[in-house]
Amino acid sequence: MAHVATTSARAIERPRHARALDRRARTKKFSATAHRGHARERFSPRCDASANAGDSETASEGTGTVQISPVSAKEEEVDRIQEMLNKPYKWGFSTTIETETIPAGLSEDVVRMISAKKNEPDWMLDFRLKAFRKWLTMEEPDWSDNSYPQIDYQGVSYYSAPKSMEKKKSLDEVDPELLATFDKLGIPLNEQKRLTNVAVDAVFDSVSIGTTFKEDLLKAGVIFCSISEAVHDYPELVKKHLGSVVPVADNYFTALNSAVFSDGSFVYIPKGVVSPMELSTYFRINAESAGQFERTLIVAEDDSYVSYLEGCTAPAYDDNQLHAAVVEISAGKNAEVKYSTVQNWYAGDENGKGGIYNFVTKRGLCKGDNSKISWTQVETGSSITWKYPSVVLAGDNSIGEFFSVALTNNAQQADTGTKMIHIGKNTRSRIVSKGISAGKSKNVYRGLVQVGPNAVGARNYSQCDSMLIGDKAGANTYPYIQVKEPSARVEHEASTSKIGEDQLFYFQQRGIDPEEAVGVIISGFCSEVFNELPLEFAAEVNQLMSLKLEGSVG
């Protein structure tokens, strides 16, 4: 059964929407200790609930003179399920195209070169140089559960772009090879094939190659373009909001991104406007030696609404590549922003060779009363993932939500979660995290719920569930709860379960093969999160999970 951690003057009942736990699930109890600490990006592992798949029991049985050892029965079960997860990465192709890639290394001259290539105004160059100088004074953090070789930041190229990227009047003039790449990825950009109700900004390495429906959105008052274009076309808006939610010096990787960020998306929703279509950005890394450092800035003024979708893939190279991004969201009074991500960077091979280092800072600010920001993410890729999409609930009656599925396999490592910072009165937050660990991977949920001294009537509900597949996978939960307002109500529960042979046998008795059974079990486990995804992502997520889970049972 789940353990409820209460940090208020009175306990509260479990919400109706909380999931009834599977009776067969093996559950780990833990205590979430309220403590006062520092609400920075750095968390220290003082609250620890961990489970390892190897801790589960093994049953054996024999018939006649033939005996099956407990180890062999268990190994057979593990091998069958593990094969299901080891499908090839279908997005691992690279595009052969002539590119301009600057030499590896990072210095003030490199920062100036990036700014010059983008023909940026002086104020943007000053922003970059201040960030770079701050980065030089900082040390790379090492407090996560992730373990990886030291990164050589002088061995990375910080800018790579197709040579044919002079400004085009329309997407039809873009290099056909680039259009074919996104078409192959399922993101058609040309006029005949593009999605009818989703505007797409396509980012290839360090540049945006084009944005669909930009003019149609402008007619409705919505600005949707690359952030490079916004620096030139809407400088006052960018100057006002860039770095306002995620400061340059917030952490090591935000300072790095602020110095060298290449491209990303800019979204501005005026007061009283509801975006007439979904907005989406698709990030593609192609150059082998280059990193990607995109910057996304979303501003929703009072009484506005927007739903934003994000996707990403990369070629299957043997060397690791660095991805350090920053996403900032600002929501005014009565505004709502829904941000959905399907993260599918290359995860490396089964031995952990290659893959993307995914170090991302995402934060939303509910600065107006009655505002709402929702993060929904499905994480299946990256060799190393380190990110905590967060919400600062400054406005009274504001709402923050975080729905997440994180699937790790083979040698993948993920230290991810969220932060909900309650400042305004009667603020509410909800956290639903589902972690699935297979192979010898490590999957960590790390979450902070902080209630400030003026956050009268604040309420939080957190649910963190882990599923283990195999004997060597690990799952850890680190909840941090800081409450400084006695009227606040905070609830946290967690569970750990394992897909077992008995469950698969139960499905087989009813004519469902084991491969499909695992898919059904995991779909049910993740349904609360999948239900929050926009319809435009539903097909992609189903296909992605199927590819990750098919072909193992035979």
Side-chain angles (χ1 to χ4, degrees):
M1 63 189 297
H3 180 86
V4 177
T6 306
T7 60
S8 62
R10 56 194 177 95
I12 60 172
E13 71 282 357
R14 188 181 183 201
R16 292 181 180 179
H17 60 252
R19 177 181 63 83
L21 298 176
D22 190 315
R23 293 181 180 178
R24 294 172 179 255
R26 184 175 288 105
T27 305
K28 280 276 202 184
K29 291 184 179 181
F30 70 93
S31 296
T33 306
H35 62 88
R36 298 186 181 187
H38 207 286
R40 297 284 298 174
E41 191 75 275
R42 174 168 182 148
F43 305 156
S44 55
R46 295 170 59 182
C47 276
D48 184 354
S50 62
N52 189 285
D55 295 337
S56 60
E57 299 175 354
T58 303
S60 63
E61 61 179 79
T63 57
T65 58
V66 179
Q67 296 211 353
I68 302 174
S69 70
V71 175
S72 64
K74 188 174 184 178
E75 286 179 347
E76 183 180 354
E77 171 199 334
V78 170
D79 289 344
R80 287 190 307 172
I81 297 176
Q82 187 59 42
E83 284 178 24
M84 185 176 301
L85 295 161
N86 290 338
K87 294 297 290 180
Y89 181 71
K90 65 175 281 191
W91 303 269
F93 63 90
S94 61
T95 302
T96 302
I97 192 169
E98 194 174 5
T99 60
E100 178 188 11
T101 302
I102 65 174
L106 182 55
S107 65
E108 191 166 302
D109 287 340
V110 170
V111 174
R112 291 180 181 275
M113 184 189 303
I114 293 172
S115 186
K117 286 186 176 295
K118 301 172 82 63
N119 195 28
E120 292 178 339
D122 290 342
W123 65 266
M124 191 67 249
L125 175 59
D126 291 340
F127 179 90
R128 291 181 181 275
L129 291 174
K130 289 177 182 177
F132 175 69
R133 291 161 188 161
K134 181 63 182 178
W135 179 74
L136 290 175
T137 69
M138 304 173 78
E139 294 185 4
E140 183 177 351
D142 60 1
W143 46 263
S144 78
D145 278 15
N146 296 329
S147 176
Y148 53 91
Q150 186 173 0
I151 298 173
D152 178 12
Y153 291 94
Q154 297 302 325
V156 177
S157 173
Y158 290 87
Y159 183 89
S160 179
K163 281 193 173 180
S164 58
M165 276 313 298
E166 65 269 12
K167 194 172 182 68
K168 306 294 185 182
K169 292 182 179 179
S170 73
L171 278 166
D172 295 329
E173 298 179 17
V174 172
D175 190 320
E177 190 66 30
L178 290 173
L179 294 177
T181 296
F182 283 91
D183 201 35
K184 190 174 180 180
L185 292 167
I187 312 295
L189 299 176
N190 60 43
E191 194 75 43
Q192 291 75 28
K193 298 181 181 178
R194 66 179 60 164
L195 301 174
T196 56
N197 199 40
V198 181
V200 179
D201 182 23
V203 178
F204 188 89
D205 283 333
S206 298
V207 295
S208 167
I209 68 167
T211 307
T212 65
F213 296 110
K214 187 162 55 175
E215 299 303 322
D216 296 284
L217 288 166
L218 270 176
K219 293 175 183 177
V222 175
I223 299 172
F224 180 46
C225 61
S226 72
I227 199 160
S228 296
E229 290 179 84
V231 167
H232 292 283
D233 298 340
Y234 310 100
E236 294 307 316
L237 284 175
V238 176
K239 274 197 279 189
K240 179 180 178 181
H241 296 285
L242 186 66
S244 64
V245 179
V246 179
V248 167
D250 187 81
N251 62 70
Y252 185 83
F253 298 107
T254 59
L256 175 63
N257 174 279
S258 297
V260 302
F261 75 86
S262 45
D263 228 328
S265 294
F266 176 75
V267 177
Y268 180 79
I269 313 296
K271 182 177 180 179
V273 173
V274 174
S275 179
M277 61 180 70
E278 307 269 6
L279 309 184
S280 175
T281 304
Y282 196 96
F283 297 98
R284 175 69 177 178
I285 294 176
N286 190 67
E288 187 169 4
S289 60
Q292 192 175 66
F293 308 90
E294 81 264 10
R295 189 91 180 202
T296 298
L297 177 59
I298 300 174
V299 179
E301 298 287 13
D302 296 353
D303 304 301
S304 65
Y305 172 84
V306 65
S307 175
Y308 178 89
L309 321 176
E310 176 189 60
C312 52
T313 56
Y317 294 132
D318 289 339
D319 293 328
N320 296 109
Q321 291 176 278
L322 178 62
H323 172 253
V326 172
V327 176
E328 299 181 272
I329 300 175
S330 177
K333 184 178 180 180
N334 300 315
E336 180 177 352
V337 179
K338 184 177 178 65
Y339 192 109
S340 304
T341 302
V342 174
Q343 186 271 103
N344 190 27
W345 295 120
Y346 178 53
D349 65 15
E350 61 185 23
N351 298 313
K353 186 177 183 180
I356 304 295
Y357 288 174
N358 187 36
F359 302 152
V360 179
T361 300
K362 293 183 173 182
R363 187 174 303 148
L365 172 62
C366 287
K367 66 178 182 180
D369 294 349
N370 307 306
S371 55
K372 180 179 180 180
I373 294 176
S374 300
W375 299 100
T376 304
Q377 62 179 31
V378 176
E379 304 268 337
T380 65
S382 299
S383 173
I384 308 290
T385 298
W386 199 355
K387 59 183 288 194
Y388 312 96
S390 308
V391 183
V392 179
L393 299 162
D396 293 346
N397 306 304
S398 57
I399 299 172
E401 295 180 331
F402 175 77
F403 302 94
S404 173
V405 169
L407 169 63
T408 57
N409 187 25
N410 295 319
Q412 282 180 274
Q413 301 175 66
D415 195 314
T416 184
T418 186
K419 295 187 293 184
M420 295 290 174
I421 312 299
H422 293 254
I423 298 174
K425 298 176 182 178
N426 301 313
T427 52
R428 289 179 290 154
S429 63
R430 183 185 177 198
I431 299 169
V432 177
S433 174
K434 307 286 185 175
I436 304 167
S437 309
K440 53 180 185 280
S441 67
K442 291 194 298 184
N443 201 329
V444 172
Y445 168 82
R446 191 185 303 269
L448 169 68
V449 177
Q450 183 187 63
V451 180
N454 298 318
V456 177
R459 178 167 182 171
N460 164 267
Y461 168 71
S462 300
Q463 175 185 336
C464 304
D465 300 322
S466 300
M467 178 177 286
L468 298 165
I469 301 175
D471 292 12
K472 300 176 182 177
N476 299 297
T477 299
Y478 302 132
Y480 304 88
I481 302 173
Q482 304 170 0
V483 179
K484 298 179 181 179
E485 163 52 52
S487 68
R489 296 181 292 174
V490 176
E491 181 180 1
H492 184 104
E493 66 174 47
S495 69
T496 302
S497 59
K498 183 174 184 286
I499 294 181
E501 192 172 6
D502 55 341
Q503 292 171 301
L504 297 180
F505 181 69
Y506 178 85
F507 277 92
Q508 284 180 291
Q509 282 184 314
R510 284 150 180 80
I512 301 173
D513 65 76
E515 182 175 306
E516 185 179 351
V518 172
V520 170
I521 292 170
I522 290 180
S523 293
F525 179 73
C526 302
S527 61
E528 283 183 81
V529 177
F530 289 170
N531 289 341
E532 296 295 326
L533 287 168
L535 289 175
E536 286 77 11
F537 265 3
E540 182 178 349
V541 169
N542 288 333
Q543 181 187 40
L544 181 59
M545 297 299 286
S546 296
L547 284 168
K548 292 279 182 178
L549 297 169
E550 80 176 357
S552 81
V553 181

